[in-house]
Amino acid sequence: MRKKIETLGILCLLILFIMAILYPALNIISVSLRSDDAFQTRSLTLWTDESSFKSYFTLFLETKFLTWMKNSFIVSFVVTLTGVVLASTSGYALSRFNFIGKKAVLFSILMTQMFPATMLLLPFFILLAKFELINSYIGLIIIYSSTALPFCVWQMKGYYDTVPPELEESARMDGCTRFSAFTKIILPVSVPALVITALFSFMASWSEYVVASIVLQDPELYTLPLGLKSFQASLATQWGLYAAGAVVVSIPVTILFIFLSRFLVSGLTIGSVKG
Amino acid sequence: MSGVTLKSIYKSFGAQTILKNISLEVNSGEFMVVVGPSGCGKSTLLRIIAGLESIENGDVYIDGHKKNKDDPSKREVAMVFQNYALYPTMTVYENLAFSQRIRKRSKSEIQERVMESAKKLRIDDLLDRKPKELSGGQRQRVALGRALVRKPKVFLFDEPLSNLDAKLRQEMRFEIKKLHSQLNTTMIYVTHDQTEAMTMADRICLMNDGVIEQVGTPQEMYNNPVNTYVSRFIGMPPINLIEGEINIEGDQAIFVSDELKIFLKNERIREKLSRNSQKIILGVRPQDLHDNYFSEIKDIKNTITATVDFVENLGSTAIVHTHKGNTQISGSIKSETSIKPGDSIDLIIDVNSLHFFNQATNERVNF
Amino acid sequence: MKNIIKILQYIFRSLIVTKNIVFLISIFIFFGCQSSNEITINIWHQMLYENRKALREVCDKYEESHTGININLIYRETEELRSNFQSAALGGSGPELIYGPSDQVGPFAIMGIIKPLDDLFSLSYFDQFLSNAVVKFDKKRWMVGDGVGNHLMLIYNKNMVSSPPKDTDELIQLGKSLTKDLDDDGVIDQFGLVWNFTEPFFYVPWIGGFGDWFIDESGKPHLDTESNENAFAFIKSLRDKHKIIPKECDYETANALFKTERAAMIINGDWSWGDYMGKVDFGIAKLPRISVTGELPTPIVSTKGYSINAHTKGEKLHHTVDLMKYLTSPEVQLHYVRRLNTQPSSLAALDHPEVQSNVLLKQNADIIKNGKPMPVVPELRAIWDALRGEYQSVLAGTKEPHSAAIESQRKAEEQIKTMNLVVQPGSQGKFIKGLLGLIIVGIILVLWKTKEKFLFAFRENKFAYLMILPAFAGIMIVVLFPFVYNLIISLSNFSLRTFKNWDLIGFYHFGTVLSDIRFYSVLGKTIIWTLINVSFHVSLGVFLAVLINRTLPAKKTLRTLLIIPWALPQYIAALTWRGMFNQEYGSINLILNKFFNMSPVQWLSQPIEAFSACIITNIWLGFPFMMVVALGGLQSIPKEMYEASQVDGASRWQQFCKITIPMIKPVMLPAIILGTVWTFNNINVVWLVSNGGEPSDLTHILVSYVYKAAFNLYRYGYAAALSMIIFIILSAFMVSFMRKTKLEAIV
């Protein structure tokens, strides 16, 4: 009985908390349903009589939103793919092998997180301009994949550390090469961590604005955040449109999170200590 | 034919040398147990044979062929790991079939092989399960089965039973031994448990600190340990090692240590001793000490009256831990005894089965 | 430098080839399709929606009559237009034409990234325009405007105001009668006057009305005047004494209030007309005369126009010049007049009957007469910046108008000095060059010497090295090059005046940073920011994880809902929160008022409140990550431990302290390190919620401070040095933290 009351109490507490947590998210949905000029309101209700899906129609019919969405999907997909491939291989090497420079590599990867990213913009641009990668997705993809990598490499390494090395040794004795032991045995075991890595890479590219704004200059090539920002001029923001866009941008990531949340707990092992 | 030969193997991790000049010949069809304390390099040795570790020096021959640089996949050896290392994402059947699929065998052949091994190990009703749905013993069988399917030239076992409880361990010991006699394949078995070594091995290889101390049949190891280390490792309860000296008093060679005096029998001792007195380590197995009360042998000169510290009753026998003066002595005696701690006990030493070791080198001295 | 790039280039190419990803990626590439006989001219602009459409229309027309010419229009928000163009020009690219407000001419001209127009056009071309539409700087012409105006005026709703106020007394009187609480709930629903009054651009006209001007002929600040002081006091009195304007009001709020007829008057520029047309029946008027002085406020009149990128050459330049002539022609300007009511800059267009008969433009021309031209000197930025900070302090009530006026002058002068400062490379510069050379030689030597050893190691662990190489190379190219570049910049005098010919000067900037008291105050704030955020992230995360880790109904749903803040893109979340912190209309104040009966908090205009707002936002964003990590840790604790402690009679709290905490510690610590570094360097939240450090640059953390120094004040060398210091601080923190917690084991 006591336990039931306790559970009920905790449940109430959690629900209250979740309501507070979700309010900002719902708030933006509510703005997206209002007209541009009605975003300043004193009402706390999220749905009013004036609410309509007009902004969404405008968004999809009158702007290049669908093109941007396609672009974002392409970029994010390639980034996720390269991110997963690179992080899973290098994380594996860092977890399993002792080689000269391993410590240095691990530390320098961690160090990359210490430098203020904004100051990297100018050199990024100069580098891309030299390689003539301005206005192309290659430059964007290289930068996105690499900026998401440090965390992903550490994350993959942490997960591999929890996988007993006997697994691939066993596979090698069963006739696998080092590489096929990795792909056939270790990768399937590491699905939760791979999912996390994919999720992080995806997020890093899906909602990135600053780098995209210096690399992409053709509106046909814009990714979603760039497109979204173009609704938000300095002295005249189309708020309804902006909010509707923001909602649509957030939906894929949120859905991904919801679907993958069961992996989040088991796969996020940045902190797993060996042994 | 399909034996394993190691020739002066060296291996080190960084500054630490793990294996020093290891040479070992495992005959075809032999059950070789490599035994030693943890950290002695026995697992590394096994992994070198498997090809999981590289070597700096020396040669590895499997089935007469030099395999120094060969990948594990090309060595035709199978290994059973301590933690089983079953592939968690695959069912038991897939685990067993994995090596055959890698070799691209036909479906029917795989099926046949898997069923054959599964039946042998009585895991044919578990084939659809995932490893995490199995008990420890079942996992062990699957791990064995996985090796069996391969029909390798050599089986390697890396402490395969240490994660099992005592009863299961004994059962599996028997099972593995039975497999060996059925298959007649070379098996190399690593363990730290001397009982496993003694009960299973055709021959034992005892390692310590990166070197091989002695190789021989269990009986040889027990009867003729080459040094104190081997003598202590083999045999349960462990041998009593007593430091002292042999003095020649007239005709008689006497071992003296503290309050202990043992009249030795062997005539040749006198001949062999260069001086009148020599420092020595005396080894007496607890089994060679008898309770005067029950014993048929009576040897009044070599009866020690010791004080009992405590008694371990094992059912048929009991181990008495005693001391005389500063010397600790344990004896294996009949369990009918009603002796209690604090009592004194008369222990007869069987002077025919004493071991002597050089105090400086710990090497065996044969008189 | 060139060699390094060549080497990188080589590594880069071989990497791509070896990885065979070229094929994969090239499927997705859309190179700007430039066939040989087509010429594409890029224009970067910052035009609003209707203007954008009109521009496209005239460009389409041009393309029709000039086959083979493509015009590519790219929109960037004003500030971004400036900073992106700078980066692009530094990288040797960028658009052929750049369209923007005249005040960007100064910096661009000094940096040498736009071309002087004198040699490209004949004198008779320039003579076709109003003189203030041809922007001169340093005795050369740099920009030609396609319209003039961009000035502030009073726009009133004809339904609420019959005739606009002539002077400020009238304004106040009228404002009072129009500021109403319609439903008697104690909250004002309709305002007499609204405008984006916290921005200097929207403020300086009043200084003119009180007699002086904020900048003198030579471009020096003129802020320590009584006029400035009086203007400060005047605006404050409108808000606090007469209460005819809202307490907090940014541009968006003002605009929305006016459009929905919740404000009778607005001070806004000519660009906003398009937005109001068809929504509000509005009239325009001069800003009301200051009653005390009897003088009219002087809005800034500027032009927006085209400049040519310094990199444009050859045939392209020829076409660009031709296009620019077209875009500034009377024909195009008349099109704008019809579409947008823009005040033309072309004399011919001004004489056109259509313009002559346009009432709005006629009134507008009258308003412009009172205006003063926009200064084009780069120093303007420093003046704006100094003024904004002090002005916001006055509005926040933390400074008296008098001291604020004096202080703003001092700050402006100081900033101009640092902005224009060119440190000459002395002996230290030579020494540094030598040192860098030695280091490079040293590295090469060491590499050469260890070549054998390395090759051996490589052969031994070929598999491992091959596995790690692609990722490591990627990270190094993207991070190492910029890092080294920054290191070099931090030792250089790279700034506005040395944009294209900077030189190494040594540790000057490091000295400046470390001897600046502001650095320490910002560092202190950054530490507070990080500490509060991380401790809330961790405690909230662990608390929720513990709650949710027990058997609960709908556990998975609850967990998923709690993760949502993590899923939302940061910039969207930050802007939403900014909206929620609005004093009048933000949900937070509304909730506080409704449920806790609290008076509205000035979240965004008071330093401490604004900083708290940033922290609250970031806590909201950051706790789910820690919760997930903690959940992972909790699930690895065996139940037996709790059962055993229960047998031992431990209380819940003891269990938590003695079992939960120590058991999840190894999982939490690395997450805490990462969290600390991320929070320390999180510019998004602070920049977006506080709108770049408002009020008065008091909500900066180190990274936003760096951003501002680099991109707003052109102090690249200084900013790079500061970034290096941030890097050192964080690295030192990480190493010592790892030592202390014995975390090196994870490496």
Side-chain angles (χ1 to χ4, degrees):
Chain A
M1 191 60 210
R2 199 183 138 215
K3 204 150 194 193
K4 263 193 181 161
I5 293 174
E6 210 178 82
T7 307
L8 203 71
I10 287 175
L11 213 57
C12 288
L13 190 69
L14 274 174
I15 288 171
L16 262 176
F17 193 81
I18 286 172
M19 272 162 58
I21 289 299
L22 289 187
Y23 188 84
L26 296 175
N27 190 58
I28 196 161
I29 297 178
S30 153
V31 172
S32 75
L33 298 173
R34 296 180 210 152
S35 73
D36 280 357
D37 311 324
F39 87 103
Q40 304 291 27
T41 165
R42 282 232 174 69
S43 153
L44 276 174
T45 50
L46 297 169
W47 177 268
T48 64
D49 295 340
E50 287 168 43
S51 297
S52 76
F53 288 98
K54 185 177 146 276
S55 294
Y56 288 89
F57 287 119
T58 322
L59 188 68
F60 284 108
L61 299 177
E62 288 172 29
T63 70
K64 289 189 177 147
F65 203 77
L66 283 173
T67 315
W68 301 333
M69 200 154 196
K70 184 196 80 193
N71 295 343
S72 264
F73 267 115
I74 291 172
V75 171
S76 301
F77 178 75
V78 179
V79 168
T80 307
L81 204 70
T82 31
V84 167
V85 169
L86 296 186
S88 61
T89 49
S90 55
Y92 182 71
L94 287 169
S95 164
R96 288 295 194 261
F97 296 93
N98 271 312
F99 51 89
I100 297 180
K102 174 177 163 177
K103 261 198 165 189
V105 168
L106 270 170
F107 255 106
S108 58
I109 287 177
L110 200 58
M111 289 283 194
T112 58
Q113 304 288 297
M114 314 272 154
F115 200 78
T118 41
M119 282 310 284
L120 302 178
L121 285 180
L122 193 63
F124 271 166
F125 193 92
I126 292 172
L127 198 63
L128 292 176
K130 290 271 187 264
F131 287 117
E132 297 185 354
L133 291 176
I134 299 296
N135 227 358
S136 92
Y137 287 156
I138 293 190
L140 204 60
I141 286 166
I142 290 172
I143 291 181
Y144 284 170
S145 312
S146 311
T147 42
L149 261 183
F151 177 81
C152 294
V153 170
W154 267 85
Q155 142 78 15
M156 287 309 300
K157 179 202 174 272
Y159 194 86
Y160 291 136
D161 283 348
T162 66
V163 177
E166 283 88 355
L167 274 188
E168 66 256 41
E169 290 175 352
S170 189
R172 287 175 66 199
M173 313 224 34
D174 273 352
C176 290
T177 60
R178 272 209 162 133
F179 191 70
S180 66
F182 167 66
T183 52
K184 288 205 166 83
I185 300 297
I186 299 304
L187 282 186
V189 176
S190 311
V191 164
L194 289 172
V195 166
I196 300 294
T197 301
L199 187 64
F200 270 85
S201 305
F202 185 86
M203 289 221 323
S205 49
W206 183 256
S207 60
E208 205 286 334
Y209 169 73
V210 183
V211 175
S213 82
I214 64 164
V215 176
L216 299 179
Q217 296 172 354
D218 182 347
E220 286 294 326
L221 295 181
Y222 276 9
T223 53
L224 278 177
L226 274 185
L228 201 54
K229 184 81 192 236
S230 70
F231 298 143
Q232 198 205 349
S234 53
L235 292 183
T237 297
Q238 295 162 300
W239 278 108
L241 210 53
Y242 178 78
V247 171
V248 179
V249 170
S250 310
I251 283 173
V253 206
T254 315
I255 288 179
L256 267 181
F257 257 85
I258 289 172
F259 267 101
L260 302 179
S261 64
R262 75 195 171 95
F263 289 107
L264 271 181
V265 178
S266 57
L268 193 69
T269 44
I270 42 163
S272 68
V273 181
K274 255 186 204 167
Chain B
M1 223 203 18
S2 53
V4 174
T5 308
L6 304 175
K7 279 191 184 155
S8 32
I9 303 276
Y10 280 89
K11 172 77 187 172
S12 55
F13 292 127
Q16 200 186 0
T17 310
I18 302 294
L19 297 176
K20 299 162 206 154
N21 196 15
I22 299 280
S23 296
L24 180 66
E25 178 97 36
V26 183
N27 301 321
S28 175
E30 190 174 30
F31 198 109
M32 170 69 83
V33 175
V34 180
V35 69
S38 54
C40 70
K42 58 187 190 301
S43 285
T44 311
L45 189 69
L46 199 69
R47 293 163 60 82
I48 284 173
I49 299 171
L52 295 171
E53 300 282 357
S54 61
I55 42 175
E56 278 131 57
N57 238 322
D59 295 309
V60 179
Y61 294 89
I62 296 172
D63 199 14
H65 300 289
K66 199 167 170 182
K67 297 275 188 184
N68 287 8
K69 299 256 166 182
D70 281 22
D71 202 67
S73 54
K74 304 212 168 69
R75 295 200 180 196
E76 294 177 83
V77 296
M79 185 154 162
V80 177
F81 293 89
Q82 180 177 358
N83 61 0
Y84 321 134
L86 300 180
Y87 311 132
T89 49
M90 302 182 189
T91 62
V92 170
Y93 182 89
E94 289 166 331
N95 262 283
L96 294 185
F98 184 71
S99 58
Q100 304 307 303
R101 286 188 178 153
I102 294 285
R103 287 186 174 70
K104 305 221 158 59
R105 292 202 203 280
S106 74
K107 258 196 170 162
S108 57
E109 198 182 345
I110 294 175
Q111 169 98 13
E112 198 180 305
R113 276 194 175 210
V114 169
M115 290 316 290
E116 186 193 330
S117 329
K119 285 219 177 84
K120 227 175 235 166
L121 289 160
R122 301 192 305 281
I123 47 171
D124 40 343
D125 50 339
L126 306 175
L127 290 175
D128 293 331
R129 299 216 198 148
K130 288 269 177 77
K132 65 175 172 201
E133 299 159 338
L134 302 176
S135 71
Q138 287 169 331
R139 285 182 205 183
Q140 180 61 68
R141 281 169 198 279
V142 175
L144 266 176
R146 196 170 57 180
L148 214 55
V149 171
R150 300 257 317 274
K151 300 192 173 157
K153 289 191 170 147
V154 180
F155 280 98
L156 305 174
F157 297 91
D158 190 0
E159 311 226 8
L161 306 183
S162 52
N163 284 0
L164 301 178
D165 62 49
K167 190 169 167 292
L168 215 48
R169 201 181 304 170
Q170 204 159 18
E171 219 177 285
M172 287 306 296
R173 236 157 46 194
F174 174 70
E175 195 99 22
I176 292 172
K177 202 55 196 161
K178 200 173 80 185
L179 264 179
H180 179 241
S181 59
Q182 279 173 6
L183 300 169
N184 235 334
T185 315
T186 316
M187 293 188 177
I188 303 176
Y189 187 108
V190 161
T191 180
H192 62 267
D193 180 351
Q194 68 94 29
T195 320
E196 265 173 40
M198 292 297 279
T199 52
M200 299 175 83
D202 291 339
R203 282 200 300 155
I204 293 174
C205 165
L206 176 59
M207 287 182 67
N208 180 33
D209 204 15
V211 296
I212 295 179
E213 299 281 356
Q214 189 174 1
V215 181
T217 64
Q219 217 48 46
E220 277 167 19
M221 304 287 280
Y222 188 80
N223 291 337
N224 289 308
V226 294
N227 53 31
T228 50
Y229 189 83
V230 177
S231 74
R232 218 170 351 187
F233 203 92
I234 304 289
M236 228 10 227
I239 194 167
N240 297 298
L241 292 175
I242 304 158
E243 287 189 13
E245 49 188 35
I246 298 178
N247 295 328
I248 311 288
E249 292 179 10
D251 268 358
Q252 188 63 52
I254 306 168
F255 173 81
V256 184
S257 164
D258 202 15
E259 294 175 25
L260 216 65
K261 225 173 194 186
I262 298 170
F263 294 84
L264 305 175
K265 209 175 167 188
N266 201 327
E267 268 80 35
R268 277 189 299 171
I269 293 175
R270 253 184 322 167
E271 294 156 31
K272 278 219 165 179
L273 278 182
S274 48
R275 282 167 286 138
N276 264 353
S277 156
Q278 186 180 330
K279 293 199 164 174
I280 204 105
I281 298 172
L282 175 75
V284 191
R285 295 213 180 265
Q287 288 82 356
D288 297 330
L289 287 165
H290 306 284
D291 187 348
N292 191 29
Y293 187 77
F294 297 101
S295 178
E296 285 143 33
I297 323 164
K298 301 287 175 190
D299 185 347
I300 301 158
K301 277 198 284 185
N302 285 329
T303 302
I304 306 163
T305 309
T307 315
V308 175
D309 295 325
F310 66 98
V311 183
E312 285 177 87
N313 201 327
L314 301 178
S316 66
T317 57
I319 300 162
V320 282
H321 298 272
T322 68
H323 70 271
K324 174 148 181 91
N326 288 328
T327 316
Q328 304 284 332
I329 304 168
S330 39
S332 178
I333 60 170
K334 284 212 159 42
S335 61
E336 292 100 278
T337 183
S338 56
I339 222 121
K340 293 188 299 296
D343 294 354
S344 66
I345 183 170
D346 289 339
L347 292 168
I348 302 171
I349 296 173
D350 182 353
V351 286
N352 290 313
S353 38
L354 293 179
H355 306 268
F356 298 98
F357 303 99
N358 185 316
Q359 258 196 28
T361 61
N362 288 332
E363 306 264 346
R364 184 179 186 84
V365 180
N366 278 317
F367 290 116
Chain C
M1 206 68 216
K2 272 233 168 94
N3 281 331
I4 294 174
I5 286 167
K6 265 199 185 138
I7 293 167
L8 285 175
Q9 213 157 8
Y10 172 74
I11 295 173
F12 190 65
R13 285 205 181 125
S14 53
L15 190 81
I16 287 187
V17 172
T18 50
K19 278 304 284 181
N20 262 333
I21 48 174
V22 165
F23 173 72
L24 183 72
I25 293 178
S26 58
I27 299 169
F28 301 110
I29 304 155
F30 304 80
F31 276 114
C33 38
Q34 287 178 339
S35 55
S36 54
N37 50 4
E38 273 201 9
I39 289 176
T40 303
I41 296 177
N42 292 294
I43 304 177
W44 287 9
H45 65 88
Q46 39 83 273
M47 291 189 192
L48 302 181
Y49 312 102
E50 285 306 310
N51 304 46
R52 242 180 266 176
K53 278 186 204 158
L55 177 64
R56 189 66 253 179
E57 285 157 16
V58 295
C59 286
D60 286 344
K61 216 167 162 192
Y62 186 81
E63 281 173 352
E64 261 170 46
S65 56
H66 296 72
T67 39
I69 299 227
N70 265 322
I71 303 172
N72 204 359
L73 299 179
I74 293 143
Y75 165 79
R76 284 281 185 279
E77 186 270 319
T78 313
E79 277 302 299
E80 255 172 49
L81 184 76
R82 192 178 53 78
S83 61
N84 282 2
F85 182 66
Q86 276 161 226
S87 307
L90 202 61
S93 68
E96 283 71 32
L97 277 178
I98 174 158
Y99 178 89
S102 52
D103 52 330
Q104 68 193 14
V105 163
F108 286 174
I110 290 177
M111 290 175 188
I113 56 178
I114 53 175
K115 268 190 192 312
L117 304 176
D118 305 68
D119 306 332
L120 300 171
F121 299 88
S122 62
L123 265 179
S124 60
Y125 169 73
F126 297 119
D127 288 342
Q128 298 168 21
F129 300 95
L130 289 173
S131 65
N132 56 5
V134 179
V135 183
K136 282 188 194 163
F137 177 77
D138 216 9
K139 298 191 184 100
K140 280 185 184 134
R141 299 176 176 85
W142 302 91
M143 174 190 266
V144 174
D146 64 352
V148 288
N150 223 15
H151 53 288
L152 294 175
M153 66 200 80
L154 188 73
I155 302 176
Y156 58 96
N157 187 330
K158 282 185 179 163
N159 295 333
M160 296 156 105
V161 179
S162 48
S163 71
K166 291 275 171 306
D167 58 28
T168 50
D169 286 345
E170 258 180 63
L171 175 76
I172 291 164
Q173 213 176 358
L174 188 64
K176 276 183 181 163
S177 69
L178 287 166
T179 304
K180 291 176 194 158
D181 174 8
L182 296 172
D183 51 9
D184 280 323
D185 60 352
V187 187
I188 292 162
D189 306 299
Q190 180 187 302
F191 289 97
L193 177 66
V194 291
W195 92 100
N196 182 20
F197 61 85
T198 52
E199 263 303 304
F201 179 80
F202 289 79
Y203 161 74
V204 288
W206 302 104
I207 305 183
F210 280 99
D212 292 299
W213 192 226
F214 72 100
I215 188 167
D216 69 14
E217 299 292 315
S218 56
K220 293 209 175 60
H222 192 49
L223 296 169
D224 51 349
T225 57
E226 239 172 78
S227 310
N228 191 14
E229 202 180 316
N230 291 338
F232 277 156
F234 172 68
I235 305 291
K236 197 161 189 271
S237 74
L238 285 186
R239 190 189 69 179
D240 297 345
K241 192 172 153 209
H242 308 300
K243 296 187 173 138
I244 62 166
I245 58 176
K247 284 240 180 297
E248 262 175 21
C249 188
D250 57 14
Y251 186 87
E252 309 296 345
T253 313
N255 213 24
L257 289 177
F258 185 71
K259 279 197 280 186
T260 51
E261 308 209 316
R262 280 179 287 164
M265 295 174 278
I266 186 170
I267 295 173
N268 210 341
D270 51 359
W271 63 80
S272 64
W273 298 345
D275 200 10
Y276 302 149
M277 266 174 206
K279 288 176 187 151
V280 183
D281 184 13
F282 70 94
I284 60 171
K286 290 178 190 170
L287 294 178
R289 202 175 286 277
I290 307 285
S291 304
V292 197
T293 60
E295 298 220 28
L296 278 167
T298 44
I300 296 177
V301 180
S302 67
T303 183
K304 281 184 193 167
Y306 296 92
S307 301
I308 298 178
N309 189 336
H311 292 289
T312 317
K313 282 183 193 83
E315 206 200 341
K316 218 167 195 184
L317 179 61
H318 171 75
H319 289 287
T320 306
V321 167
D322 188 62
L323 178 62
M324 184 166 153
K325 276 183 187 158
Y326 167 75
L327 287 171
T328 50
S329 66
E331 175 199 353
V332 169
Q333 293 198 10
L334 282 172
H335 182 77
Y336 291 163
V337 169
R338 276 169 228 136
R339 289 279 273 107
L340 313 158
N341 283 317
T342 327
Q343 195 78 31
S345 66
S346 147
L347 298 170
L350 279 168
D351 284 339
H352 196 274
E354 243 179 283
V355 177
Q356 293 291 328
S357 61
N358 187 321
V359 186
L360 204 59
L361 286 186
K362 215 166 183 181
Q363 281 177 315
N364 195 32
D366 191 35
I367 296 170
I368 289 178
K369 271 187 209 145
N370 281 97
K372 291 209 173 183
M374 171 75 101
V376 294
V377 290
E379 284 84 355
L380 184 63
R381 270 195 107 60
I383 299 176
W384 279 157
D385 202 58
L387 185 57
R388 182 184 293 118
E390 293 308 309
Y391 177 44
Q392 285 174 356
S393 296
V394 172
L395 291 175
T398 50
K399 257 193 193 143
E400 288 306 310
H402 178 67
S403 56
I406 290 169
E407 188 62 14
S408 59
Q409 174 73 13
R410 192 189 64 75
K411 275 196 177 155
E413 280 170 3
E414 184 188 294
Q415 281 200 4
I416 288 170
K417 214 174 106 196
T418 47
M419 201 168 99
N420 286 334
L421 180 76
V422 178
V423 183
Q424 291 307 326
S427 52
Q428 209 190 8
K430 275 181 198 143
F431 171 70
I432 290 289
K433 264 182 230 167
L435 196 67
L436 282 179
L438 275 180
I439 289 173
I440 291 170
V441 170
I443 290 174
I444 292 172
L445 271 179
V446 169
L447 283 180
W448 193 254
K449 279 224 156 163
T450 52
K451 186 183 65 173
E452 284 297 313
K453 201 176 153 198
F454 187 77
L455 277 179
F456 177 75
F458 183 79
R459 254 178 266 131
E460 274 289 282
N461 270 310
K462 211 166 157 188
F463 183 72
Y465 282 109
L466 283 180
M467 290 276 263
I468 207 163
L469 196 66
F472 192 63
I475 293 175
M476 283 304 122
I477 288 172
V478 171
V479 180
L480 191 68
F481 169 77
F483 180 78
V484 173
Y485 184 88
N486 258 289
L487 180 66
I488 292 171
I489 292 285
S490 74
L491 300 172
S492 79
N493 59 1
F494 191 17
S495 71
L496 175 67
R497 305 252 163 207
T498 54
F499 198 72
K500 282 193 160 168
N501 50 0
W502 48 272
D503 210 338
L504 292 181
I505 52 164
F507 293 96
Y508 174 82
H509 292 301
F510 288 88
T512 324
V513 172
L514 293 175
S515 60
D516 184 357
I517 187 101
R518 281 205 52 177
F519 165 73
Y520 296 99
S521 89
V522 176
L523 176 63
K525 265 179 223 159
T526 314
I527 291 171
I528 293 171
W529 154 265
T530 313
L531 271 182
I532 296 182
N533 268 311
V534 174
S535 46
F536 267 98
H537 289 162
V538 173
S539 50
L540 209 57
V542 171
F543 175 70
L544 287 170
V546 169
L547 282 194
I548 214 161
N549 195 39
R550 41 195 294 144
T551 32
L552 284 175
K555 180 172 156 177
K556 278 190 182 150
T557 319
L558 291 176
R559 190 179 67 192
T560 307
L561 288 176
L562 283 171
I563 292 175
I564 281 185
W566 186 7
L568 282 185
Q570 265 196 10
Y571 64 100
I572 292 175
L575 283 172
T576 308
W577 274 93
R578 183 173 164 80
M580 284 171 46
F581 280 119
N582 185 295
Q583 196 202 1
E584 298 281 338
Y585 301 101
S587 320
I588 305 234
N589 274 351
L590 294 178
I591 289 171
L592 289 180
N593 180 272
K594 206 162 193 170
F595 296 110
F596 303 97
N597 209 13
M598 281 168 65
S599 58
V601 180
Q602 293 187 7
W603 284 107
L604 299 173
S605 54
Q606 297 288 341
I608 293 178
E609 281 84 346
F611 201 52
S612 314
C614 297
I615 290 176
I616 291 171
T617 307
N618 201 45
I619 291 173
W620 182 83
L621 277 166
F623 78 89
F625 174 74
M626 291 294 178
M627 183 186 83
V628 168
V629 175
L631 264 177
L634 285 177
Q635 293 187 348
S636 67
I637 305 178
K639 264 202 177 121
E640 293 80 19
M641 294 193 79
Y642 289 104
E643 286 161 3
S645 69
Q646 237 166 355
V647 173
D648 291 342
S651 69
R652 282 279 173 84
W653 178 245
Q654 281 170 324
Q655 280 186 349
F656 180 74
C657 295
K658 299 278 150 108
I659 299 174
T660 312
I661 296 283
M663 287 299 284
I664 61 171
K665 208 169 116 186
V667 186
M668 292 306 290
L669 283 178
I672 289 174
I673 294 191
L674 270 180
T676 306
V677 173
W678 286 342
T679 310
F680 199 96
N681 275 345
N682 187 343
I683 186 172
N684 279 357
V685 172
V686 169
W687 195 265
L688 292 175
V689 173
S690 75
N691 195 19
E694 284 176 5
S696 312
D697 281 328
L698 285 170
T699 51
H700 278 300
I701 60 173
L702 281 174
V703 270
S704 59
Y705 189 60
V706 165
Y707 186 81
K708 187 163 176 179
F711 293 98
N712 274 10
L713 302 173
Y714 314 106
R715 299 173 67 191
Y716 291 103
Y718 177 83
L722 192 51
S723 328
M724 291 307 299
I725 291 172
I726 293 178
F727 175 74
I728 292 165
I729 291 174
L730 279 178
S731 304
F733 159 78
M734 185 188 77
V735 169
S736 64
F737 190 86
M738 283 175 110
R739 282 255 162 82
K740 235 184 194 151
T741 52
K742 304 202 172 61
L743 260 182
E744 285 128 318
I746 61 169
V747 175

